Amino acid sequence: MKKDPSSLDAVITPRASDLGNGFTVKRALPSLQRQMIGPFIFLDQMGRAMLPPGDGLDVPPHPHIGLATVTYLFEGELLHRDSLGVVQAIRPGELNWMTAGSGIVHSERTPAEQRAAESALYGIQCWVALPERDEEMAPAFAHHDADELPVTDAEGARLRVIAGELCGLRSPAATRSALFYADLALAAGAKFRLAADYDERAAYVVEGELKMPPGDDVHGAGQLLVFGRGGEIVLQAQSNVRLLLLGGEPMEGRRFIWWNFVSSSRERIEQAKADWRDGRFGHVPGETEFIPLPERKPRPVKYP
């Protein structure tokens, strides 16, 4: 029997991962069910966490290669610093897009002024794998304010395109491959139709509950819904719901991921490990801390 293209291929429940200092994130990608969705190879939900006065998130300088980090917040504020000398705060509805390419180092911290009182932190960080031709490109950083990202609002559905193109709206963020990444809010009972414009599509339920007609199964917050290829996907809000829609075209080949490194070459990842261990990456101006190379040996994972 031919599979209904509008059906779910997988429902991924994120696993908890500790960033240190007791701050835990929900990691949906990579998972045992999927390594990637289009070029998206990593998806972490940060919070919602309430940080007590005097406290905050502190992720000291650490390296990346072969990917772009994509940071988007719902609440709170983070300060990005990197080895290019960029210092950039990010606030709700804004986009930080950092292209690691051949190698970059950055830190992410709660700004000092936010620590004076209790503060919330709530957002998503994704990694987008770079095409093979761009894996060794020069590192770069771009920030886009909330009012730069296109929005459409109609019939109980509000869509903001964070990156790529969807529903005729294109983000100003420069991407290296065909993809879409969007913030969708649906009022209870409202529907959204996701066209088959890309081979690989998914939705991450941030808040609320969602149905996929004609079925009656309800999917709740913290689930990554991976859709079948081809055909329109109908999403209906069981309650007020907020989703992140993401996907794109499949990458041209396999990707390896180890710690903060992504590459089409195992050897390149080994080189990056040695470079970080031996201090051959750049430095973040004004920062003396760093995250050491993990000594663990990751267990092999087979992805579909």
Side-chain angles (χ1 to χ4, degrees):
M1 176 182 285
K2 188 175 180 180
K3 189 171 182 180
D4 179 0
S6 67
S7 65
L8 282 171
D9 266 3
V11 177
I12 298 172
T13 300
R15 66 189 189 278
S17 182
D18 188 358
L19 292 186
N21 295 329
F23 192 88
T24 300
V25 297
K26 297 176 181 177
R27 183 157 298 163
L29 288 177
S31 75
L32 290 174
Q33 291 116 305
R34 289 288 189 281
Q35 184 195 39
M36 303 177 72
I37 298 168
F40 290 85
I41 195 168
F42 181 95
L43 190 156
D44 264 7
Q45 176 182 326
M46 303 176 285
R48 185 177 189 255
M50 294 306 299
L51 307 172
D55 203 355
L57 177 68
D58 284 295
V59 182
H62 56 282
H64 290 285
I65 65 162
L67 57 87
T69 65
V70 186
T71 307
Y72 185 77
L73 298 183
F74 307 122
E75 294 182 63
E77 185 175 332
L78 284 175
L79 186 64
H80 161 99
R81 296 177 181 268
D82 66 35
S83 51
L84 299 176
V86 173
V87 180
Q88 177 65 58
I90 181 171
R91 301 174 183 88
E94 301 177 348
L95 169 65
N96 274 4
W97 185 287
M98 183 186 77
T99 303
S102 59
I104 198 168
V105 180
H106 76 136
S107 66
E108 297 157 294
R109 301 182 187 273
T110 302
E113 58 271 20
Q114 294 289 313
R115 299 178 189 239
E118 182 180 60
S119 62
L121 182 60
Y122 191 15
I124 301 285
Q125 186 173 95
C126 294
W127 297 352
V128 172
L130 296 176
E132 287 185 20
R133 68 178 182 275
D134 296 322
E135 285 184 320
E136 296 301 320
M137 68 179 287
F141 180 88
H143 172 85
H144 296 280
D145 288 336
D147 60 6
E148 296 180 63
L149 304 180
V151 174
T152 182
D153 196 341
E155 299 180 352
R158 187 176 193 273
L159 180 76
R160 168 181 278 146
V161 178
I162 303 167
E165 184 174 6
L166 189 66
C167 296
L169 301 178
R170 175 177 288 278
S171 164
T175 62
R176 315 298 296 189
S177 56
L179 61 84
F180 68 98
Y181 188 40
D183 181 359
L184 174 65
L186 292 175
K191 292 182 180 180
F192 179 83
R193 300 179 183 276
L194 181 61
D197 295 335
Y198 300 88
D199 272 358
E200 298 184 358
R201 300 166 293 170
Y204 184 74
V205 185
V206 178
E207 297 172 347
E209 293 183 324
L210 181 75
K211 290 198 304 185
M212 289 179 57
D216 292 323
D217 289 346
V218 175
H219 305 283
Q223 290 187 315
L224 178 63
L225 312 180
V226 184
F227 306 128
R229 294 191 179 193
E232 182 182 74
I233 304 294
V234 180
L235 305 173
Q236 181 174 354
Q238 178 79 357
S239 61
N240 291 346
V241 68
R242 190 170 194 175
L243 310 168
L244 286 179
L245 306 176
L246 65 146
E249 299 307 315
M251 299 303 288
E252 72 276 46
R254 184 179 180 185
R255 289 299 183 275
F256 301 98
I257 180 169
W258 191 93
W259 192 39
N260 300 315
F261 306 137
V262 170
S263 179
S264 58
S265 164
R266 288 185 186 273
E267 292 74 22
R268 180 65 181 92
I269 287 182
E270 291 302 314
Q271 181 62 55
K273 290 161 66 174
D275 288 344
W276 184 244
R277 185 187 299 114
D278 297 339
R280 290 191 291 267
F281 272 85
H283 300 278
V284 177
E287 300 242 18
T288 57
E289 287 184 282
F290 67 94
I291 300 177
L293 189 77
E295 295 301 326
R296 60 181 172 84
K297 293 182 178 180
R299 60 183 178 84
V301 176
K302 288 188 176 181
Y303 301 103

